Amino acid sequence: MMWFVVAASLLAVVTFFCLVRTERSDKEIAPYVSHCLFWLFIPIVSNIVLSLSPDVTVCRFCYTVFFISTTVLRYYLAEFVFKYCNIEIKKPYLRYSMIAVTAFDIISIAMNYVFSHVFRVTADTGIIEPLPDHTRMLFEGDKVHIHFEPLGYYKIHLIISLFLFGVSFIGLLIKCIKTSKLYRDRYVVILTAITITAVWDAFHVFTNSPVDRSILGMCLCGIFIYNYAMEYIPSVLLDEMKKTVLYSISDGILFFDEDRNCIFANSAAMLQLDMKDASMGFEKLLSLTGEEREKSKDYTSKAMTCSRIENGEEYIYDVELHKLHDMQGKLIGSFAKITDTTERTKREELNRYLATHDRLTGIYNTDRLYEAVREVLRDNPDKDFYIVASDIKEFKLVNDRYGRDYADKLLIRIANLFGDKATSPTTRYGRIGSDKFGCLIEKKAYSEQIFISAMNEVPNIDRNLTIPIIMHAGVYEIEDKSMPISAMFDRAFIAIASVKNEAECKVAYYEENARDELLWGQKITEQLDNAILHGQIVPYLQAQVSCEGKVVGAEVLVRWNHPEEGFMPPVKFLSILEKNGMIAKIDQYIWECACRILRRWKFEGREDLYLSVNISPKDFYMIDVPSVIIGLAEKYELDRSKLRLEITESIMMNDIDEKLKTIVRLREAGFIVEMDDFGSGYSSLNMLKDMPVDVLKLDMIFLKDTENNERTKKIMSLIIDLAKSLGVPVIAEGVETVEQVDLLAKMGCDYFQGYYFARPVSLEEYEQKNLNAS
């Protein structure tokens, strides 16, 4: 018996040591191992006490503790297996069943003190009487002094133990079958230990020993569980993973022994160094790095960038070389890491290029151009320079008319022309955005004719253009080199703005008053939204009268009641808003004002009056004109014939087919379309032939100095006769004298508009004069 006590005591010490280490661990599995070890330690100790004590009461208590703790142990063993094998119990009835039978067994064993239904422990009385066959005896030497007799419930306890063991066994068996061979040993060992312990425990059931020696197997099983769950790292698995990682990574890896013989090279290294045999590794590495063999001994670690050419392609590598030493500092070998950085390096070079160059043209972008100009000015303080900027007139129209491909070719050609003309070493040029280009050129190298000839060459990429490509250049002489570079280019573009509407003047020079005009344009543009919101933009009406002098309607004009500038005439802001496209906002606002007036007149019974509103050429590019106007007419429930739409010949300069479709759509919607300023253009008759209009408005430029000009009168008369033959009424605008009225009336003009009859007035004044009077 003493051998058992000694062995159990040693295993108890080891189990307790494992338990302490587990309690200090923060591994996720640690609590499950800890529960197993704790409930294993208790039955070991109870068995030791049982083996040493001859006292019946002590033995009965030890047996009770032993049976309860082994039941709890088997339950926690199953919980450990679930966690260790990563088994997810989707249906909770199994765990509930385990808890239920474990609790039932614990309570039943504890109640043995009351019912004596599990086991009975008695002392040797010295009376000779027959004992049951299943009675187990505890010996002290050769003398029996304790009798252990299992009773009826003991078999149920064994069945519960078998059930809990079976759960653990099946879980481990399934994991062993499903898992990879690399992981199988960590499950097979524990499964084997549990199985042996279970067999040993079953063997104990059929012996007469009152001491369960299978507890020794349980201890060994617990130690295996601790080792494999808490300490064990399978070397085969680790080696296989290392090998897999080394072969799968994209970096080349080579290992060398202390004599620099290559003992390992992964597939990436074989490919990068173009090797068929790993033994060539060191020589190939020297060939790549360009080092001499002897000098390669002189470093502990080193990093370098290398390149090689293969089939005309350059490949770039980052190479790291490191020597390896053992714990005592002795050299055990070295390794090299080769990273293919070809794509990354090329991408970085491309990113650096794109950060400083325009993607389309390949010349400097805005930021790099400004930086380059700043560098030249800083390095040449004694030289004089010009800033020259250029852009294309109405580039958006060019883009819309001829398409993106043509526009891109145009911009590339401009960039190439700048490059061809940049002969001075201090010249810097680039694209500032869209169609805007700029350059810095030394004053002595500057020639206006160079830029004029370059701008004349630009349209030559296509000689079949229906609209001309017109470029302008602006020149600013740098006086203050400390001025921001952006401000210098702004001044050059201000010079362009001063001649933007002139076809003949190709080059303009910056003057301070041009800057003032630009600032004024920026000011009113920024204030436009607020002006509309607060009613500063107001409609003015100029009456239109018949030959009999009856007011039949009015043209709606726009005025700006500026809080600082006062009442501004259209000439002070309309042309600016026309250029930047903001005219569409004013036009839409005036259209809506006209609709409100017509609706009010309708309710007041004045449906005999109409209003004419102007449609700017830019409106067609900024908004969907028919949708907006039709929407307003529907919103205010108007008779659409009362809202007349005035368009100019210039609208038809571009996209004629699309504009004709728009006009047809408006007429079909019920609006009357008037051609304004007829006769002021070069193709009026052609427009009259193609454009489906309802009314002609004659430009009174025909009547300028016409009192004694019979030729002009005949032309005017012919135009009116032509309009009448087409069934198109004529309105003469700009009529200022009684002589003009008489002349036009004789020619058959239908309606008149001008200062002779009425100046543009506010809505209140118009209504007071015309509505109240009637």
Side-chain angles (χ1 to χ4, degrees), residues 398 401-403 405-407 409-410 413 456-469:
V398 174
R401 180 62 184 270
Y402 300 114
D405 290 342
Y406 174 82
K409 290 179 182 178
L410 194 64
R413 181 168 179 81
N456 288 335
E457 289 180 38
V458 169
N460 291 342
I461 59 173
D462 189 348
R463 298 182 181 277
N464 299 315
L465 303 178
T466 58
I467 62 172
I469 304 298

Side-chain angles (χ1 to χ4, degrees), residues 703-750:
L703 296 181
K704 187 176 182 181
D705 300 326
T706 60
E707 287 80 356
N708 299 312
N709 192 332
E710 294 300 324
R711 183 184 183 91
T712 302
K713 292 178 184 178
K714 289 180 181 180
I715 293 174
M716 177 70 76
S717 179
L718 286 172
I719 290 175
I720 294 174
D721 289 342
L722 178 62
K724 284 189 171 295
S725 67
L726 295 173
V728 178
V730 177
I731 300 176
E733 61 178 337
V735 179
E736 299 179 355
T737 66
V738 66
E739 290 79 13
Q740 290 177 341
V741 174
D742 292 339
L743 178 63
L744 289 166
K746 289 178 182 179
M747 291 179 179
C749 187
D750 300 288

Side-chain angles (χ1 to χ4, degrees), residues 387 389 472-476 488-500 505-511 514-515 518:
I387 291 289
H472 293 96
V475 182
Y476 169 68
M488 297 179 184
F489 279 95
D490 285 343
R491 282 163 166 72
F493 283 111
I494 288 172
I496 292 177
S498 66
V499 294
K500 198 66 180 283
C505 183
K506 293 292 185 71
V507 179
Y509 295 83
Y510 173 79
E511 296 178 1
R515 178 174 177 273
L518 181 66

Side-chain angles (χ1 to χ4, degrees), residues 66-248:
F66 175 79
F67 288 133
I68 290 175
S69 59
T70 52
T71 298
V72 178
L73 171 62
R74 289 184 178 95
Y75 170 79
Y76 278 118
L77 178 62
E79 288 285 355
F80 162 77
V81 168
F82 292 153
K83 183 65 179 178
Y84 186 66
C85 298
N86 197 24
I87 297 173
E88 183 180 354
I89 302 177
K90 297 181 179 179
K91 297 183 179 179
Y93 64 82
L94 177 59
R95 180 169 275 113
Y96 291 157
S97 300
M98 291 169 51
I99 295 172
V101 298
T102 301
F104 176 77
D105 196 44
I106 293 171
I107 294 171
S108 297
I109 294 171
M111 294 300 291
N112 185 65
Y113 277 99
V114 178
F115 301 107
S116 299
H117 62 294
V118 182
F119 63 87
R120 183 166 50 234
V121 177
T122 57
D124 184 15
T125 60
I127 300 174
I128 300 175
E129 60 181 28
L131 297 172
D133 292 339
H134 55 274
T135 303
R136 300 173 185 177
M137 295 169 286
L138 185 63
F139 291 86
E140 184 179 5
D142 295 331
K143 184 179 179 181
V144 177
H145 66 91
I146 293 294
H147 295 245
F148 172 82
E149 181 184 355
L151 301 176
Y153 182 80
Y154 184 72
K155 292 181 180 179
I156 298 175
H157 167 72
L158 293 178
I159 293 171
I160 291 174
S161 299
L162 180 62
F163 166 70
L164 294 174
F165 162 75
V167 172
S168 302
F169 179 85
I170 293 172
L172 283 166
L173 183 62
I174 292 173
K175 191 67 177 181
C176 289
I177 294 171
K178 289 186 174 181
T179 194
S180 168
K181 183 179 179 181
L182 290 172
Y183 296 93
R184 194 169 293 156
D185 61 339
R186 62 185 299 195
Y187 303 108
V188 169
V189 171
I190 296 178
L191 177 63
T192 303
I194 290 177
T195 304
I196 292 172
T197 301
V199 172
W200 194 348
D201 190 31
F203 176 76
H204 164 73
V205 173
F206 299 102
T207 67
N208 290 326
S209 174
V211 177
D212 191 348
R213 295 187 179 110
S214 68
I215 194 65
L216 300 179
M218 289 185 184
C219 287
L220 292 174
C221 181
I223 293 170
F224 278 129
I225 287 174
Y226 167 78
N227 180 60
Y228 276 84
M230 303 299 297
E231 304 289 350
Y232 175 69
I233 300 176
S235 59
V236 175
L237 172 63
L238 190 59
D239 290 342
E240 190 66 25
M241 283 187 170
K242 289 177 181 177
K243 188 185 298 183
T244 302
V245 169
L246 288 174
Y247 273 112
S248 63

Side-chain angles (χ1 to χ4, degrees), residues 365-587:
N365 60 20
T366 306
D367 292 340
R368 179 59 189 129
L369 175 62
Y370 288 179
E371 182 181 354
V373 170
R374 189 179 299 110
E375 291 169 355
V376 172
L377 295 180
R378 181 192 62 210
D379 297 339
N380 299 273
D382 299 330
K383 295 181 178 179
D384 296 324
F385 291 90
Y386 282 136
I387 291 289
V388 181
S390 73
D391 72 357
I392 300 172
K393 182 180 180 181
E394 301 291 357
F395 180 69
K396 186 180 185 306
L397 300 182
V398 174
N399 212 338
D400 291 343
R401 180 62 184 270
Y402 300 114
R404 179 71 175 271
D405 290 342
Y406 174 82
D408 287 348
K409 290 179 182 178
L410 194 64
L411 296 174
I412 293 170
R413 181 168 179 81
I414 294 171
N416 293 337
L417 287 171
F418 265 102
D420 294 341
K421 307 304 178 184
T423 56
S424 171
T426 56
T427 299
R428 300 291 183 268
Y429 62 95
R431 184 183 178 195
I432 299 176
S434 185
D435 62 317
K436 294 178 170 57
F437 293 81
C439 77
L440 173 77
I441 187 169
E442 208 171 324
K443 192 172 181 179
K444 66 180 183 181
Y446 170 78
S447 168
E448 180 178 299
Q449 190 56 43
I450 291 177
F451 286 94
I452 292 176
S453 62
M455 289 186 289
N456 288 335
E457 289 180 38
V458 169
N460 291 342
I461 59 173
D462 189 348
R463 298 182 181 277
N464 299 315
L465 303 178
T466 58
I467 62 172
I469 304 298
I470 300 174
M471 286 191 67
H472 293 96
V475 182
Y476 169 68
E477 183 177 358
I478 299 176
E479 298 175 352
D480 179 7
K481 293 183 179 180
S482 65
M483 178 187 295
I485 306 301
S486 60
M488 297 179 184
F489 279 95
D490 285 343
R491 282 163 166 72
F493 283 111
I494 288 172
I496 292 177
S498 66
V499 294
K500 198 66 180 283
N501 295 319
E502 299 179 26
E504 297 302 322
C505 183
K506 293 292 185 71
V507 179
Y509 295 83
Y510 173 79
E511 296 178 1
E512 197 63 33
N513 63 342
R515 178 174 177 273
D516 295 338
E517 291 177 6
L518 181 66
L519 293 176
W520 167 248
Q522 292 176 344
K523 178 180 178 180
I524 64 169
T525 300
E526 292 168 358
Q527 294 178 351
L528 179 60
D529 288 338
N530 187 65
I532 293 174
L533 181 64
H534 291 89
Q536 296 173 17
I537 305 297
V538 293
Y540 261 48
L541 276 58
Q542 186 173 25
Q544 293 179 348
V545 301
S546 65
C547 290
E548 295 79 20
K550 180 182 178 182
V551 175
V552 293
E555 180 180 359
V556 185
L557 305 172
V558 63
R559 298 292 184 269
W560 189 335
N561 189 9
H562 197 280
E564 298 173 3
E565 303 293 331
F567 232 84
M568 294 195 301
V571 69
K572 210 170 179 187
F573 60 89
L574 279 187
S575 61
I576 295 170
L577 299 178
E578 280 275 5
K579 290 178 183 178
N580 60 28
M582 297 293 283
I583 190 67
K585 284 192 175 184
I586 280 193
D587 282 348

Side-chain angles (χ1 to χ4, degrees), residues 321-338:
L321 306 173
H322 301 275
K323 292 185 178 179
L324 303 173
H325 300 82
D326 60 15
M327 299 297 290
Q328 288 74 39
K330 294 182 178 179
L331 179 69
I332 59 173
S334 57
F335 81 91
K337 176 185 174 185
I338 307 174

